[in-house]
Amino acid sequence: MKRISLLILVLTALVINACKKSETIPPPITQQPSITSVEYQDKLLLVNKPDFQIQTSEPAEFSSTDPLIKITASGLVSRITSAEVVPIDITWKNSGTKSRIYALGATDEYFDNPYAKYHSAIGTDTYNSYKKGWETLQKLPSTTETYVIVLRHADADKGIDYSVNHSDDGPAEWWKSCDTALARQLNQQGIERATELGRIFQDLKYPLEHLVSSEFCRSVKTAELINTGLPIIKDGRINHPAYNKSGLGLFPGMIEIVKDFPTDQKMSLLVSHHPINELRKVDYPTFPSVTPYSWTGGYFVKISADKVITYDGAASWGMFKYWRDLKLNRL
């Protein structure tokens, strides 16, 4: 009997020991290589200066075939066109794996012609304007807040406004003309980007309820190409200074229009020109003195129930497109 008991104890010990050995030992946790630059915000790298060095958790090699960026293999960005979003390819040296990130030119000084010729005042806090705009993009559409997108018309360098080189009043309502001999008009890129922006707004399911444009043809054409299906309300208070007789200035004119919108948790689109992005002699809380405002880009305005108007960041055309593609897994 003692022998049987001893045998049982031995067998039990062997079984317990075998079970312990058969326990699955989890593999060591390996951290994925990553971008560690503080400017890398929610899958967008905001390059806010020339000679910007990308920081990483392990050695990497960088490249890009996009002509809008100049980057070395070590990740030094010597130039990226302001407001544009470009891809950067990464090879992680420890593993040989590859990945891709996207970078925004979060500056307001590095443009090529034709845009450089038509640039408005340089943004006073471009990096934080785009950072805030990137945050806002990701939470729109909102079911609790009312928003307005104050858009600069699409790319336009065809022709010249009559008042630029004439002292007389000119032909009747010349500013409304779509003739390049009388007013500046959209170029091919402007036509393409405005059309694509309309698709982006549809893809993002923006609940656009109101559409206001300046009277200038380039602004109206931008609104038409965005193709919201809404009637376009033309308002001279947000005309380009080449013909704006309101006496308000564009920014105060915009505030007047926005305050008339209902606070209905919907979105409105206002298509205008610079200097609607500049406060000039106006003091308005939360707004920077000058917000970055590239062609086919804009800034967000939030309207509270008691009609308090708040600046909620800027977004370029490239940011709108990148967010749509990221959100819908098109990259």
Side-chain angles (χ1 to χ4, degrees):
M1 193 69 177
K2 288 182 179 179
R3 288 181 179 178
I4 293 173
S5 298
L6 182 60
L7 182 59
I8 291 171
L9 288 172
V10 170
L11 289 172
T12 301
L14 289 172
V15 169
I16 292 171
N17 189 51
C19 288
K20 285 182 178 178
K21 287 183 178 180
S22 66
E23 287 177 358
T24 302
I25 300 173
I29 298 173
T30 56
Q31 186 134 15
Q32 293 296 318
S34 61
I35 304 297
T36 57
S37 301
V38 296
E39 296 85 2
Y40 192 53
Q41 305 280 333
D42 300 317
K43 298 187 178 180
L44 181 63
L45 180 67
L46 281 71
V47 177
N48 59 350
K49 61 183 179 181
D51 297 326
F52 178 97
Q53 179 62 55
I54 303 176
Q55 303 293 327
T56 57
S57 61
E58 66 176 58
E61 187 171 293
F62 300 83
S63 65
S64 180
T65 58
D66 197 302
L68 299 176
I69 188 172
K70 295 178 181 178
I71 184 171
T72 67
S74 64
L76 181 69
V77 180
S78 59
R79 186 184 191 272
I80 179 172
T81 303
S82 296
E84 300 290 349
V85 174
V86 301
I88 298 174
D89 293 313
I90 307 172
T91 300
W92 301 100
K93 291 185 177 181
N94 290 352
S95 62
T97 57
K98 299 179 183 295
S99 60
R100 171 173 281 189
I101 64 169
Y102 286 79
L104 164 72
T107 57
D108 204 24
E109 302 163 83
Y110 305 103
F111 292 98
D112 301 313
N113 280 320
Y115 183 76
K117 181 180 178 181
Y118 298 97
H119 192 281
S120 55
I122 294 174
T124 48
D125 192 4
T126 303
Y127 172 74
N128 282 309
S129 292
Y130 279 141
K131 182 174 179 289
K132 190 174 186 67
W134 181 235
E135 293 167 358
T136 299
L137 258 178
Q138 295 174 80
K139 68 182 182 184
L140 291 178
S142 171
T143 58
T144 59
E145 303 282 359
T146 301
Y147 273 91
V148 180
I149 301 173
V150 182
L151 189 75
R152 189 175 182 183
H153 62 75
D155 307 42
D157 72 322
K158 300 299 182 184
I160 188 170
D161 289 341
Y162 185 88
S163 63
V164 171
N165 54 9
H166 295 83
S167 58
D168 62 291
D169 291 338
E173 298 188 327
W174 62 262
W175 60 96
K176 297 180 182 179
S177 174
C178 297
D179 184 346
T180 57
L182 294 178
R184 186 156 48 89
Q185 310 298 333
L186 301 186
N187 60 28
Q188 187 57 39
Q189 178 164 286
I191 293 169
E192 292 169 0
R193 287 195 167 190
T195 303
E196 181 63 17
L197 188 61
R199 297 191 191 104
I200 292 167
F201 288 167
Q202 291 175 16
D203 290 339
L204 293 175
K205 302 187 187 320
Y206 281 177
L208 294 169
E209 289 290 322
H210 310 92
L211 175 55
V212 180
S213 170
S214 97
E215 297 176 318
F216 276 71
C217 181
R218 57 183 176 268
S219 182
V220 175
K221 285 294 183 184
T222 300
E224 289 175 350
L225 290 166
I226 290 173
N227 192 26
T228 63
L230 297 169
I232 301 172
I233 301 168
K234 300 170 188 176
D235 197 314
R237 288 176 292 180
I238 54 171
N239 277 0
H240 189 275
Y243 188 87
N244 187 314
K245 301 297 184 180
S246 70
L248 294 174
L250 271 72
F251 184 87
M254 178 272 292
I255 294 294
E256 278 197 354
I257 294 169
V258 166
K259 282 188 174 180
D260 285 338
F261 290 144
T263 51
D264 52 6
Q265 293 76 55
K266 301 293 185 180
M267 297 176 69
S268 298
L269 180 63
L270 191 154
V271 186
S272 186
H273 317 253
H274 81 282
I276 204 170
N277 60 318
E278 302 173 30
L279 297 192
R280 298 199 170 186
K281 296 181 180 180
V282 179
D283 184 20
Y284 217 89
T286 81
F287 281 76
S289 296
V290 182
T291 186
Y293 203 51
S294 57
W295 281 337
T296 336
Y299 59 93
F300 299 109
V301 169
K302 184 166 59 176
I303 316 171
S304 70
D306 55 354
K307 297 294 184 177
V308 173
I309 310 299
T310 305
Y311 175 80
D312 223 6
S316 67
W317 180 85
M319 291 170 68
F320 279 115
K321 183 177 185 300
Y322 173 60
W323 170 240
R324 186 274 310 272
D325 293 346
L326 182 64
K327 185 175 183 180
L328 300 185
N329 297 312
R330 294 185 179 181
L331 298 172

